Amino acid sequence: MSYVIGIDLGTSAVKTVLVDKDGQVVYEVSEAYPLLQPKPGYSEQDPEAWVEKTLISLNRMMKDSGVKPSEVEGVSFSGQMHGLVLVDDAGKVLRNAILWNDTRTTPQCRKIEKVLGADLLKIARNRALEGFTLPKILWVQEHEPEILKQAALFLLPKDYVRFRLTGDYAMDYSDAAGTLLLDVAGKEWSDRIATAFDLPLSICPRLVDSFDQVGILLPEIAEKSGLLSSTKVFAGGADNACGAIGAGILSEGQTMCSIGTSGVILSYEERKDLDFEGKVHFFNHGEKDAYYIMGVTLAAGYSLQWFKETFAADLTFDQMLEGIDSIPAGSGGLLFTPYIVGERTPHPDANIRGSFIGMDAGHDRTHFARAVMEGITFSLKESIDILRNSGKTITEVISIGGGTKNENWLQMQADIFNATILKLESEQGPAMGAAMLAAYGSGWFPSLQECASHFLRTAKSYVPNPEAVAVYENLFSVYQDVYGQTRELNDKLAAFRK
């Protein structure tokens, strides 16, 4: 037998999967590591914790699975995006990594916008948001200049772990696209952006494709992991790019809906000259010379979790959602906007907050629960509509994540998106995408598309109900009005938040 390993370096844990040639996950391990929050708004991690837990997970997998080290052909990675790791010329980490969800860099974002103007969207294809890497580099430049002076390279989280495993420095295009330093269409580091902020291009690692082999395991790493030093190591990709690969989003028109804590609408794209004016993210895909468009709802599954913890803490999710199928589409005129932590697409607004609109005495908890689910899905539809307005035809959407755990929600997605919703038999997300990159890189398949057709299978599909589609089309126009009608109110209410 032959196997590949996918390593998904998340924000809270590293997930490692062992996959055979039929795409079956024969073993998986998860190892958690701590999040460091030294000040409000700060979010950091010790990169050595990533390395330590990755090696522990690999060692556990090889010991417990019974698979021989010689049977593992390749390893690849998926990783949390944007996190800043600075290393000196000896590869030593100079400070804790600043993560994607760190919010200290608002002044640096405004500086980027002022200095680059229209060139920012022209080159980097994305707005300056606190999550991206360049604002973090500029924060270090301003507040810790002695550290930046020592830095030989900046790396992203998975790239640092891969460096420690192989001794090789590299960054793939899909992860580099989230730094704001990459010319996304030109697939090269931007001299215009770097020089605008007195950054030498030498601080940027070499660029590679996600499926490129970048080395083999160092002997001491092989010993600690239980693998052979001859094991091939492939570059891997950003978590969203790998999530797309793991869901089979590998050709024009294919679109994914992922509902976790946040929500993502992601679509494959080959046109590199599209201009979305920063309304959605535009990143390089893990597939060669391809891109993906991504819209984000900040509080998707989190809105439902908040509702449960606040109003139904004594119930399970299944109990809380009992009976929502008996409530007609539209929740009896009750509407929810999921802006409870601000919003990203199409409104990058940190001040906006959620609303329940249309409450009356006839509504009970079931109406509210359904309204929350509808509001989350309306927010995701805004991203779907941006894609359709760009000329995309979207008739099918692959749904993954927490939104697939309730059949009523899957049908709701079909009705609100007016598209057939497909649910996969086995869903491993970014870890599977990383494993598929290793499988393709190892020569198992002639293309990633062939790999996906062999590894991924549809379990069930949900077709739009024309009557519900019509109701939701009318209600969606009301939903879209809520942001504009409540924006000024929320700006005023911001002064009362503590």
Side-chain angles (χ1 to χ4, degrees), residues 285-343:
H285 201 294
E287 175 66 290
K288 189 173 183 63
D289 295 329
Y291 306 87
Y292 65 91
I293 306 161
M294 186 175 76
V296 178
T297 294
L298 287 182
Y302 181 60
S303 288
L304 196 63
Q305 179 185 344
W306 162 80
F307 181 79
K308 178 189 177 303
E309 291 174 352
T310 306
F311 301 106
D314 57 331
L315 301 180
T316 65
F317 275 102
D318 287 342
Q319 290 171 332
M320 181 183 75
L321 299 178
E322 278 182 11
I324 63 165
D325 55 333
S326 66
I327 305 293
S331 300
L334 180 62
L335 190 60
F336 171 74
T337 57
Y339 308 146
I340 59 174
V341 293
E343 191 52 309

Side-chain angles (χ1 to χ4, degrees), residues 219-485:
E220 63 270 24
I221 293 297
E223 184 177 352
K224 291 179 181 178
S225 65
L227 294 165
L228 299 180
S229 60
S230 58
T231 306
K232 298 175 183 177
V233 179
F234 300 91
D239 53 5
N240 285 310
C242 286
I245 293 170
I249 309 302
L250 288 162
S251 60
E252 182 57 40
Q254 289 188 317
T255 301
M256 175 183 83
C257 172
S258 174
I259 300 178
T261 301
S262 61
V264 166
I265 295 293
L266 185 153
S267 191
Y268 184 95
E269 182 57 65
E270 293 181 350
R271 297 169 292 174
K272 64 181 180 180
D273 56 350
L274 291 176
D275 182 7
F276 292 99
E277 301 175 336
K279 292 179 181 177
V280 289
H281 296 309
F282 190 85
F283 293 138
N284 300 78
H285 201 294
E287 175 66 290
K288 189 173 183 63
D289 295 329
Y291 306 87
Y292 65 91
I293 306 161
M294 186 175 76
V296 178
T297 294
L298 287 182
Y302 181 60
S303 288
L304 196 63
Q305 179 185 344
W306 162 80
F307 181 79
K308 178 189 177 303
E309 291 174 352
T310 306
F311 301 106
D314 57 331
L315 301 180
T316 65
F317 275 102
D318 287 342
Q319 290 171 332
M320 181 183 75
L321 299 178
E322 278 182 11
I324 63 165
D325 55 333
S326 66
I327 305 293
S331 300
L334 180 62
L335 190 60
F336 171 74
T337 57
Y339 308 146
I340 59 174
V341 293
E343 191 52 309
R344 180 70 61 83
T345 306
H347 310 295
D349 188 337
N351 268 351
I352 196 68
R353 287 298 180 269
S355 306
F356 278 109
I357 304 290
M359 290 179 282
D360 70 34
H363 292 138
D364 59 22
R365 188 180 61 209
T366 309
H367 287 88
F368 278 85
R370 183 178 180 99
V372 169
M373 296 167 73
E374 289 177 338
I376 294 165
T377 314
F378 280 144
S379 177
L380 294 165
K381 174 177 164 59
E382 293 199 288
S383 293
I384 292 275
D385 282 0
I386 290 172
L387 299 178
R388 284 176 169 153
N389 290 337
S390 78
K392 279 189 173 296
T393 299
I394 299 176
T395 57
E396 291 184 343
V397 177
I398 296 173
S399 187
I400 67 172
T404 66
K405 299 185 186 305
N406 183 280
E407 293 217 347
N408 292 305
W409 203 349
L410 287 162
Q411 184 61 50
M412 188 184 293
Q413 292 173 48
D415 297 337
I416 290 178
F417 298 159
N418 194 16
T420 299
I421 300 296
L422 305 178
K423 179 182 177 180
L424 299 176
E425 270 186 17
S426 176
E427 181 196 319
Q428 293 290 337
M432 176 58 79
M436 289 168 65
L437 287 168
Y440 171 50
S442 296
W444 288 9
F445 303 96
S447 67
L448 279 171
Q449 290 92 335
E450 287 283 338
C451 182
S453 66
H454 192 80
F455 275 22
L456 307 176
R457 290 166 285 276
T458 300
K460 194 170 182 181
S461 60
Y462 300 79
V463 179
N465 177 326
E467 292 181 2
V469 169
V471 170
Y472 282 133
E473 281 294 334
N474 290 328
L475 187 59
F476 181 61
S477 65
V478 180
Y479 171 90
Q480 290 184 298
D481 285 341
V482 177
Y483 175 79
Q485 297 288 344

Side-chain angles (χ1 to χ4, degrees), residues 161-173:
V161 173
R162 196 185 59 246
F163 157 68
R164 287 293 309 280
L165 268 57
T166 64
D168 181 85
Y169 292 117
M171 189 180 296
D172 72 287
Y173 295 107

Side-chain angles (χ1 to χ4, degrees), residues 5 18 27 29 55-69 72 223-227:
I5 292 175
L18 184 68
Y27 205 86
V29 179
L55 292 176
I56 289 173
S57 70
L58 289 170
N59 189 274
R60 278 182 56 198
M61 173 176 288
M62 297 310 296
K63 281 185 176 179
D64 297 346
S65 67
V67 169
K68 298 175 183 178
V72 178
E223 184 177 352
K224 291 179 181 178
S225 65
L227 294 165

Side-chain angles (χ1 to χ4, degrees), residues 35-318:
L35 183 67
L36 308 175
Q37 296 176 300
K39 293 182 181 180
Y42 284 33
S43 182
E44 301 183 351
Q45 276 174 335
D46 177 4
E48 294 309 310
W50 303 332
V51 177
E52 176 189 356
K53 295 299 186 177
T54 298
L55 292 176
I56 289 173
S57 70
L58 289 170
N59 189 274
R60 278 182 56 198
M61 173 176 288
M62 297 310 296
K63 281 185 176 179
D64 297 346
S65 67
V67 169
K68 298 175 183 178
S70 59
E71 294 178 313
V72 178
E73 293 193 31
V75 175
S76 191
F77 299 82
S78 160
Q80 50 169 299
M81 296 178 71
H82 314 308
L84 174 65
V85 183
L86 292 169
V87 297
D88 65 16
D89 53 12
K92 179 183 177 183
V93 173
L94 295 170
R95 70 173 326 280
N96 283 335
I98 305 177
L99 303 191
W100 64 274
N101 55 354
D102 188 289
T103 59
R104 77 184 77 173
T105 57
T106 300
Q108 287 72 36
C109 289
R110 303 293 81 80
K111 178 180 179 180
I112 291 169
E113 292 168 345
K114 182 178 179 180
V115 171
L116 294 177
D119 282 351
L120 176 63
L121 288 178
K122 181 180 177 182
I123 300 170
R125 307 298 296 275
N126 293 279
R127 293 174 183 249
L129 299 175
E130 287 81 357
F132 289 111
T133 317
L134 177 59
K136 304 180 197 321
I137 295 175
L138 298 186
W139 184 92
V140 175
Q141 185 183 61
E142 180 179 344
H143 295 276
E144 300 171 349
E146 71 287 352
I147 287 180
L148 192 61
K149 287 177 183 176
Q150 297 175 61
L153 283 175
F154 85 89
L155 299 171
L156 299 175
K158 77 168 192 329
D159 301 316
Y160 176 72
V161 173
R162 196 185 59 246
F163 157 68
R164 287 293 309 280
L165 268 57
T166 64
D168 181 85
Y169 292 117
M171 189 180 296
D172 72 287
Y173 295 107
S174 74
D175 231 355
T179 65
L180 289 187
L181 277 162
L182 186 75
D183 179 338
V184 169
K187 295 180 68 175
E188 62 183 8
W189 295 116
S190 170
D191 181 68
R192 162 76 174 100
I193 295 177
T195 56
F197 301 103
D198 298 319
L199 297 172
L201 277 180
S202 60
I203 201 172
C204 304
R206 70 186 176 97
L207 293 164
V208 295
D209 280 310
S210 293
F211 46 79
D212 282 345
Q213 183 179 345
V214 293
I216 56 177
L217 295 179
L218 295 168
E220 63 270 24
I221 293 297
E223 184 177 352
K224 291 179 181 178
S225 65
L227 294 165
L228 299 180
S229 60
S230 58
T231 306
K232 298 175 183 177
V233 179
F234 300 91
D239 53 5
N240 285 310
C242 286
I245 293 170
I249 309 302
L250 288 162
S251 60
E252 182 57 40
Q254 289 188 317
T255 301
M256 175 183 83
C257 172
S258 174
I259 300 178
T261 301
S262 61
V264 166
I265 295 293
L266 185 153
S267 191
Y268 184 95
E269 182 57 65
E270 293 181 350
R271 297 169 292 174
K272 64 181 180 180
D273 56 350
L274 291 176
D275 182 7
F276 292 99
E277 301 175 336
K279 292 179 181 177
V280 289
H281 296 309
F282 190 85
F283 293 138
N284 300 78
H285 201 294
E287 175 66 290
K288 189 173 183 63
D289 295 329
Y291 306 87
Y292 65 91
I293 306 161
M294 186 175 76
V296 178
T297 294
L298 287 182
Y302 181 60
S303 288
L304 196 63
Q305 179 185 344
W306 162 80
F307 181 79
K308 178 189 177 303
E309 291 174 352
T310 306
F311 301 106
D314 57 331
L315 301 180
T316 65
F317 275 102
D318 287 342

